[in-house]
Amino acid sequence: MKKKWLIGLLTVVVAGLTLTGCGASNTGKEGSNSGATGNKTSGAPTELVISTWGFSEDFFKENVYAPFEKEHNVKIVLEIGNNAERLNKIRQGSSNVDLIYLSDYYAQQGIEAGLFEKIDRSQIPNLSQIYDLAKAPLGEDYGPAYTIGRLGIAYNAADTKVEIKKWADLWNPALSKKITLPNITSTTGPMLLDAASTVAGNQSFSEDDAFAKLKELNSGVVKYYSKTSEFVNMFAQGEIVAGPIMEMYVGELKKSVPDTTFVSPEEGAYAIMNTVNIVKGSKNKQLAEEFINWHLSKEVQEKSAIAKVDSPVNTTLELSDEQASGITYGADVVNNLRKLDMKFVNENLDKWIDRFNREITE
């Protein structure tokens, strides 16, 4: 009897030690995966590396990064650059980034290269508060759009002899030698190609008709711009009076040309979405998901919108007309935007660039 009792006691002790060991191991693993989630008030802060563009840096530091750092005992480290540079660093494995902000065009490239983690949508409850268009622009496994802008047409109402309402109006002879268009290699270049196909009378995209229509317009184009600053300068100096541009830059145009008018064309303006994704191999996946949730919150989205930093995707915001001026805002606006299939764009862009150079800008 005594022997059996001793064996039983030893079994309980060993089991207890085993469970204690497992508990310690799991705690360590959870700590590395969730970062500061389990360590909000004490200890060294967890480092969360975010790859982004670097614009409006002071705003983001004060209103987006600092509150999250304080709440989660986190130190946010930024890696700054343009879309292509930052994506290439991830692709080459020369970066320790946890989260990366990219336009939907570049994010699609990252997905196809297998560079991103699949997100756990249950960890991002604020997804339920954003526009459907923004929830999964590149598929349910990947990150949302945290902002949606629109590509329309800006023109100098005082200098044009025609009222611009449609994409087709860019083909009006009265605007010849007075317009600029985005280069095919720019973010909005493929959108122009799609618009040209629509102007040619197609319900679905026709590459041949799009290029034929652009060729008709080519002689009247002052320049195909690659940077928004080129548009702004030409517009301010009177070299052009109209052209496709993102709505967020209209305020800059109005500084030099007060009569600037922005038009959402009758055929439909185009959605321009910036996304946020978690980089493959991040040790802070759960923490990164919490940061995405924070960026989609009403608090952050409202401050970004009022400061004219980003157009909001959170549908719970109620902005005044003045606050909404110059940004893409409201379900009636967002739900009517045209969205390109970025996978299709990536599959065809090299061919389009080659054809654009041969047939349009030769």
Side-chain angles (χ1 to χ4, degrees):
M1 179 66 72
K2 179 183 267 188
K3 184 176 182 181
K4 289 182 180 180
W5 181 84
L6 286 172
I7 292 173
L9 179 60
L10 286 170
T11 302
V12 170
V13 171
V14 171
L17 289 171
T18 303
L19 289 172
T20 303
C22 288
S25 175
N26 285 341
T27 300
K29 183 177 181 182
E30 187 68 16
S32 67
N33 283 335
S34 61
T37 301
N39 184 27
K40 294 183 179 181
T41 58
S42 63
T46 300
E47 190 173 277
L48 186 70
V49 183
I50 298 177
S51 175
T52 187
W53 295 275
F55 67 88
S56 301
E57 199 165 333
D58 290 340
F59 171 86
F60 280 99
K61 282 183 178 178
E62 180 180 349
N63 297 286
V64 184
Y65 305 145
F68 190 83
E69 288 177 320
K70 183 178 180 180
E71 174 69 18
H72 295 272
N73 191 23
V74 168
K75 178 184 178 182
I76 290 177
V77 177
L78 301 180
E79 188 170 279
I80 304 299
N82 64 34
N83 283 289
E85 292 169 347
R86 294 183 294 106
L87 183 61
N88 282 336
K89 288 187 73 172
I90 300 296
R91 187 181 282 118
Q92 293 163 5
S94 58
S95 175
N96 62 339
V97 166
D98 295 298
L99 273 170
I100 186 166
Y101 286 82
L102 294 167
S103 70
D104 51 0
Y105 163 66
Y106 283 96
Q108 181 63 43
Q109 292 182 26
I111 289 171
E112 292 171 9
L115 302 179
F116 304 149
E117 294 280 356
K118 294 181 178 181
I119 63 170
D120 181 352
R121 291 184 170 263
S122 68
Q123 298 297 315
I124 311 175
N126 284 332
L127 283 170
S128 65
Q129 296 185 350
I130 71 174
Y131 295 114
D132 288 342
L133 188 65
K135 289 178 179 177
L138 302 174
E140 289 287 329
D141 287 334
Y142 301 101
Y146 70 94
T147 183
I148 299 178
R150 60 175 165 172
L151 178 74
I153 301 170
Y155 72 101
N156 184 342
D159 280 5
T160 53
K161 297 178 181 179
V162 295
E163 183 181 7
I164 298 177
K165 295 181 177 181
K166 303 179 291 185
W167 289 111
D169 290 334
L170 292 175
W171 276 258
N172 190 316
L175 295 177
S176 183
K177 307 292 186 182
K178 297 180 180 179
I179 64 172
T180 184
L181 299 176
N183 196 298
I184 189 64
T185 57
S186 69
T187 301
T188 57
M191 298 172 190
L192 174 67
L193 199 61
D194 187 76
S197 173
T198 300
V199 172
N202 297 291
Q203 294 295 317
S204 57
F205 180 70
S206 168
E207 180 181 317
D208 289 340
D209 287 351
F211 276 96
K213 204 66 186 173
L214 285 181
K215 195 165 187 176
E216 289 178 19
L217 192 59
N218 184 52
S219 61
V221 178
V222 174
K223 182 180 182 178
Y224 292 93
Y225 73 93
S226 297
K227 298 179 180 178
T228 305
S229 58
E230 295 174 325
F231 186 116
V232 173
N233 291 335
M234 288 187 289
F235 198 76
Q237 294 167 13
E239 296 178 51
I240 60 167
V241 297
I245 194 170
M246 290 174 61
E247 184 177 20
M248 65 182 292
Y249 296 109
V250 173
E252 189 69 21
L253 297 178
K254 286 187 174 183
K255 290 179 182 178
S256 53
V257 183
D259 289 315
T260 301
T261 298
F262 180 80
V263 176
S264 183
E266 291 178 1
E267 305 97 329
Y270 287 87
I272 298 174
M273 292 186 278
N274 287 337
T275 66
V276 56
N277 274 283
I278 301 171
V279 176
K280 197 84 168 181
S282 168
K283 295 179 180 179
N284 298 300
K285 183 175 184 291
Q286 187 178 334
L287 182 64
E289 287 166 343
E290 290 187 22
F291 185 84
I292 293 173
N293 192 60
W294 164 241
H295 202 160
L296 298 179
S297 69
K298 181 181 180 181
E299 180 180 346
V300 172
Q301 293 272 306
E302 188 170 60
K303 287 180 178 179
S304 298
I306 292 173
K308 313 295 185 188
V309 169
D310 281 316
S311 297
V313 294
N314 191 301
T315 61
T316 67
L317 274 62
E318 293 185 11
L319 303 179
S320 66
D321 290 343
E322 182 180 351
Q323 290 171 336
S325 176
I327 62 174
T328 304
Y329 170 73
D332 56 332
V333 172
V334 173
N335 292 336
N336 287 307
L337 294 176
R338 297 168 68 106
K339 179 183 177 298
L340 296 188
D341 180 342
M342 287 302 161
K343 185 174 182 180
F344 178 77
V345 170
N346 277 324
E347 289 171 350
N348 290 276
L349 189 58
D350 287 343
K351 178 178 63 173
W352 293 343
I353 292 173
D354 177 66
R355 191 168 179 180
F356 190 87
N357 291 335
R358 287 187 291 105
E359 299 182 20
I360 308 299
T361 60
E362 58 183 350

